[in-house]
């Protein structure tokens, strides 16, 4: 068996995601809101979550050209981008740099950053519900439900709330795991689940195995991120 070439697999998928995101966010929007949205999303980021969606969909039998998987990949990246815009704001983490450039609120102002994050969040669900018949209604509904739950109070937003409430406190391992499971792990797990949801009929044992993989990946990602926070500079 020949070795899998990750870079060769990634590059065309990354190009498809970038093209779809760029085409889905118009620069010509009311009061230059689109410019702030494009600034927040394009030309930066590892695109780990979209790649997980596409890889999972392919692993369970999806065609690489599937509209459902590409739309889901873009949707979860938009949710991730919106969360970063809001997390960086002075009322949250008050960060001034993101991906080597000024954060959105520094570049465009706090009000515009807040609106850009809101608009990116809703745009994610537009991607999941195309009106051209390219994605079945059943797949649309499944992906909308998965993403809504993963990004809401029982997922990413809830994890951020725990994080903010825990500043200056010493958390137990169980509390830390819970925060990571929600704040970071929920979207990574959702990426895997949405990739599988794009292919109806995936057997339950396969879905369960993918869920275990997604949970382990989410925890590992956050542990590495926490180590980098201590050991690396911007």
């Amino acid at each position: 068996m020949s070795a899998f070439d990750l870079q060769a697999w990634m590059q065309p998928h990354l190009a498809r995601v970038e093209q779809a995101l760029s085409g889905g966010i118009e620069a010509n929007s009311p009061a230059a809101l689109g410019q702030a949205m494009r600034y927040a999303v394009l030309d930066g980021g590892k695109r780990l979550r979209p790649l997980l969606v596409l890889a999972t969909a392919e692993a369970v039998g999806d065609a690489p050209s599937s509209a459902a998987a590409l739309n889901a990949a873009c949707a979860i990246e938009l949710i991730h981008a919106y969360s970063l815009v809001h997390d960086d704001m002075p009322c949250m983490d008050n960060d001034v740099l993101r991906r080597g450039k000024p954060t959105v609120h520094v570049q465009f102002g706090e009000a515009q950053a807040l609106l850009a994050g809101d608009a990116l969040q809703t745009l994610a669900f537009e991607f999941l519900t195309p009106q051209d018949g390219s994605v079945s209604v059943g797949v649309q509904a499944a992906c909308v439900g998965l993403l809504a739950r993963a990004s809401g109070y029982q997922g990413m937003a809830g994890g951020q709330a725990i994080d903010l409430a825990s500043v200056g406190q010493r958390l137990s391992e169980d509390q830390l795991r819970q925060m990571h499971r929600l704040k970071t792990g929920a979207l990574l797990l959702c990426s895997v689940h949405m990739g599988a949801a794009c292919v109806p009929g995936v057997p339950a044992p396969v879905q369960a195995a993918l869920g275990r993989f997604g949970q382990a990946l989410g925890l590992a990602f956050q542990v590495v991120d926490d180590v980098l926070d201590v050991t690396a500079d911007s």
Side-chain angles (χ1 to χ4, degrees):
M1 180 182 294
S2 59
F4 176 68
D5 189 337
L6 179 60
Q7 288 298 324
W9 178 86
M10 283 174 52
Q11 293 310 315
H13 287 303
L14 287 171
R16 291 174 63 223
V17 169
E18 292 301 314
Q19 183 178 11
L21 288 171
S22 181
I25 308 174
E26 296 182 10
N28 298 324
S29 63
L33 180 60
Q35 294 179 25
M37 294 167 66
R38 291 177 67 85
Y39 182 89
V41 175
L42 302 178
D43 303 321
K46 298 177 287 294
R47 306 297 191 227
L48 172 62
R49 292 155 190 83
L51 289 173
L52 276 174
V53 173
L54 297 173
T56 304
E58 285 188 27
V60 296
D62 191 40
S65 59
S66 164
L70 180 60
N71 288 357
C74 291
I76 203 155
E77 185 67 12
L78 291 169
I79 291 291
H80 176 57
Y82 118 74
S83 74
L84 297 181
V85 173
H86 283 187
D87 287 357
D88 287 339
M89 293 182 67
C91 60
M92 295 275 196
D93 296 341
N94 196 23
D95 287 325
V96 297
L97 284 177
R98 169 72 64 180
R99 296 169 178 169
K101 62 183 184 181
T103 48
V104 177
H105 73 271
V106 171
Q107 189 76 10
F108 294 92
E110 290 184 35
Q112 192 78 325
L114 184 65
L115 289 172
D118 291 343
L120 290 171
Q121 182 187 47
T122 55
L123 181 60
F125 293 96
E126 289 186 45
F127 265 91
L128 290 180
T129 54
Q131 303 300 296
D132 59 4
S134 60
V135 181
S136 72
V137 173
V139 170
Q140 289 186 30
C143 287
V144 165
L146 287 166
L147 189 56
R149 287 188 291 272
S151 57
Y153 78 99
Q154 293 181 324
M156 180 184 66
Q160 178 69 0
I162 295 172
D163 193 10
L164 292 172
S166 303
V167 173
Q169 298 184 25
R170 187 177 182 87
L171 299 181
S172 68
E173 180 180 341
D174 286 344
Q175 290 173 320
L176 192 62
R177 281 177 177 270
Q178 171 73 348
M179 182 177 74
H180 289 342
R181 184 181 67 80
L182 298 178
K183 182 179 177 182
T184 303
L187 279 193
L188 291 169
L189 177 58
C190 181
S191 300
V192 175
H193 281 322
M194 282 210 301
C198 291
V199 185
V202 176
V206 174
Q207 294 190 33
L210 289 171
R212 292 191 296 272
F213 161 73
Q215 289 174 340
L217 183 66
L219 180 59
F221 182 90
Q222 187 59 56
V223 168
V224 171
D225 198 49
D226 286 349
V227 172
L228 288 176
D229 281 344
V230 176
T231 61
D233 59 25
S234 59

